[in-house]
Amino acid sequence: MPVLSDAARGFRPLQMAGRPARREPIVPVLGRAPRVHLWHIGCQMNDADRERLAEEFADIGFIPEVPLEDADLAVLITCTVRANAEQKVYGKFRELIPWKRERPGRAIAVTGCMAVEHGEGLLQRLPDLDYVFDVREPDGFMAKLQALHAINLDGPITLPASDRLSAYVPVMGGCNEMCTYCIVPFVRGRETSRPVDEVMAHVQRLVEGGVREVTLLGQNVNSYRDPSTGSRLPELLRAVDTVPGLWRLRFLTSHPRNAVPELFTAMHELATVCEQLHLPVQAGDNALLRRMRRLYTVDEYRAKIRAARDAVRPRLSLSTDVIVGFCGETESEFAATEQLMRELEFDTVHLAAYSVRPGTAAAPRADDIPVAEKKRRLNHLLGVQRDIASARNRSYVGREIEVLVEGRSEDDRPYGRTRENKVAWLPAGAAEPGSLTKARVVSATAWQLHAEPLGAAA
Ligand code: SAM
Ligand code: SF4
Ligand code: F3S
């Protein structure tokens, strides 16, 4: 349920069932449908939540996705995975205070993972905040807004057609893994999967709207299980692969423990499934992995990578996540992580310094790696990975790639992504946005490929 703002004395909001309304909103008669500015930070789940919220706002007759200066309501979709994500949210909130005070009737809402973590405590901490709601259950919040603004609403509005080519589709929520450093299971809850049919219908709807590339999302997407049929991720991929008009299919995030050979076989066999695997390793030392409660050994991880690389041809692009400076990380444990990165040669590594998260199993442990040392380790591995990525990308020179062209730079050069999820640039005028173009790589850096077109692929 939303909690209403103090800053609105003199107006009479609806009473919330069973709970006194401690704050009341200003509800001016706008004479038009309220407009909503959405802002988000964090992982792809929040991208997907933003899109769903925009649809829910449109359903109650609000106009979503307007620029801040035109908005009546600003909604922050937040992340709490590390302290610096929270700091960015507080920074954004501070920017909104003068915006809100500029015109009576403006309001600010916070949702997403920080809203679950702090709940109504945020209203005490942030006097200018009007609403806190759980993004997983926005109905109460939407109903409240609808009732408050009923006089200005004309029923559902139609969202303008989008020209995007790629979209995220959540197939499950929550995580049961309970890695000792991670707050996600606390703020996203236990795993729940959507039925295959529902996912298919969602993908079909997106493809009918022009989307060509879909990424299926779950915090631990390998443990996907259809609630009635028990179908697992490989079967889900097989089903979604049949959607006519879909060109590319990806999935995120895989947990190494649950990445099984059938998954790699499906990746190889299915035409739409891209040659890309994100398999977070977190650390390259067994004792450190145990302290993180990752439930696999470095050798088991190596074996998964070997199996995936053997199965997915011609070339699998691999990405991973690594945390440096976790509680008690010794020099030799850190060196083992570097060694594993050099050995496995990931295409991309998302590196993060350990950040204590309240309520997690690791929170009471000593956060004993000084900040300066965490930064040193982080920067060292960033340098190591830059060289690896650069060499990996250079090895594409002379090879054929397929680019889904997403847009054009100011100097008219088309850019897009390859099936391996690498950014690729083409010469000016070489291809139209929305096309699938075959090209040959002529040069590469650690972050992108440059290619010459060979002809349209679709
Ligand atoms: N489910 C995925 C997995 O199994 O690794 C990752 C989801 S998590 C939102 C994304 C990444 O954030 C993790 O892989 C981890 O590297 C990083 N992360 C999570 N908690 C962290 C913490 N307390 N400090 C630093 N990084 C953290
Ligand atoms: Fe967090 Fe671990 Fe779940 Fe990933 S698998 S979301 S790191 S608890
Ligand atoms: Fe952040 Fe929540 Fe995603 S904590 S990483 S937005 S699941």
Side-chain angles (χ1 to χ4, degrees), residues 41-47 49 77-82 85 112-114 182-185 187-188 219:
I41 188 175
C43 69
Q44 295 86 354
M45 279 291 176
N46 278 6
D47 288 68
D49 284 341
I77 306 163
T78 61
C79 172
T80 183
V81 75
R82 285 180 285 278
C113 295
M114 267 173 80
C182 186
I183 199 168
V184 170
V187 290
R188 287 279 171 174
Q219 290 299 345

Side-chain angles (χ1 to χ4, degrees), residues 118-176:
H118 300 290
E120 295 179 12
L122 281 173
L123 293 159
Q124 263 78 56
R125 194 176 304 174
L126 307 169
D128 282 281
L129 178 60
D130 301 278
Y131 303 97
V132 174
F133 69 97
D134 186 340
V135 78
R136 295 165 301 175
E137 290 167 16
D139 291 2
F141 174 63
M142 293 291 168
K144 179 70 71 181
L145 289 181
Q146 195 173 15
L148 290 171
H149 291 274
I151 194 162
N152 292 322
L153 302 176
D154 287 332
I157 64 153
T158 310
L159 288 172
S162 139
D163 57 357
R164 74 205 159 127
L165 295 167
S166 305
Y168 293 116
V169 173
V171 300
M172 57 181 297
C175 180
N176 293 352

Side-chain angles (χ1 to χ4, degrees), residues 5 11 15-16 32 71 185 210 215 245 265 309 326 391 403 416 447-448:
S5 168
F11 292 87
Q15 205 61 35
M16 286 193 296
R32 55 169 172 76
T215 303
T265 309
R309 280 184 164 152
F326 185 61
V403 186
W447 322 118
Q448 52 208 3

Side-chain angles (χ1 to χ4, degrees), residues 64 94 133 138 235 363 418:
R94 278 193 296 276
F133 69 97
E235 288 100 74
T418 69

Side-chain angles (χ1 to χ4, degrees), residues 137-341:
E137 290 167 16
D139 291 2
F141 174 63
M142 293 291 168
K144 179 70 71 181
L145 289 181
Q146 195 173 15
L148 290 171
H149 291 274
I151 194 162
N152 292 322
L153 302 176
D154 287 332
I157 64 153
T158 310
L159 288 172
S162 139
D163 57 357
R164 74 205 159 127
L165 295 167
S166 305
Y168 293 116
V169 173
V171 300
M172 57 181 297
C175 180
N176 293 352
E177 287 295 318
M178 305 296 283
C179 303
T180 56
Y181 51 81
C182 186
I183 199 168
V184 170
F186 300 92
V187 290
R188 287 279 171 174
R190 306 262 105 190
E191 292 171 2
T192 48
S193 297
R194 293 169 78 190
V196 171
D197 293 349
E198 194 181 305
V199 174
M200 293 272 287
H202 191 166
V203 174
Q204 249 147 9
R205 183 161 58 84
L206 289 168
V207 171
E208 280 157 18
V211 165
R212 294 287 167 255
E213 178 180 271
V214 158
T215 303
L216 305 182
L217 290 183
Q219 290 299 345
N220 180 12
V221 74
N222 308 103
S223 63
Y224 173 85
R225 184 190 285 273
D226 183 295
S228 51
T229 65
S231 288
R232 308 303 306 257
L233 183 63
E235 288 100 74
L236 177 67
L237 292 174
R238 286 182 193 282
V240 176
D241 176 69
T242 63
V243 173
L246 181 71
W247 291 347
R248 289 179 172 183
L249 182 56
R250 307 181 190 275
F251 55 93
L252 282 174
T253 296
S254 297
H255 189 291
R257 202 159 71 86
N258 307 320
V260 291
E262 298 80 62
L263 175 68
F264 306 144
T265 309
M267 289 177 75
H268 170 63
E269 289 175 358
L270 301 172
T272 60
V273 179
C274 292
E275 294 72 31
Q276 179 215 352
L277 182 65
H278 182 60
L279 203 61
V281 66
Q282 312 297 359
D285 176 89
N286 287 338
L288 190 48
L289 286 173
R290 258 197 313 279
R291 298 206 296 281
M292 292 177 163
R293 198 177 179 280
R294 286 297 285 183
L295 305 181
Y296 50 82
T297 64
V298 176
D299 273 347
E300 283 163 354
Y301 184 84
R302 279 193 184 95
K304 300 266 175 176
I305 297 295
R306 232 183 345 254
R309 280 184 164 152
D310 284 348
V312 184
R313 297 271 156 203
R315 198 168 188 182
L316 178 69
S317 158
L318 265 183
S319 54
T320 200
D321 294 349
V322 164
I323 297 177
V324 298
F326 185 61
C327 310
E329 184 187 65
T330 63
E331 276 296 345
S332 75
E333 287 169 343
F334 174 65
T337 300
E338 174 180 347
Q339 182 46 38
L340 190 70
M341 281 169 55

Side-chain angles (χ1 to χ4, degrees), residues 410-428:
E410 277 177 9
D411 58 354
D412 211 30
R413 287 178 306 133
Y415 61 84
R417 285 188 180 261
T418 69
R419 286 179 62 93
E420 302 83 357
N421 209 25
K422 291 181 184 285
V423 174
W425 288 87
L426 297 164

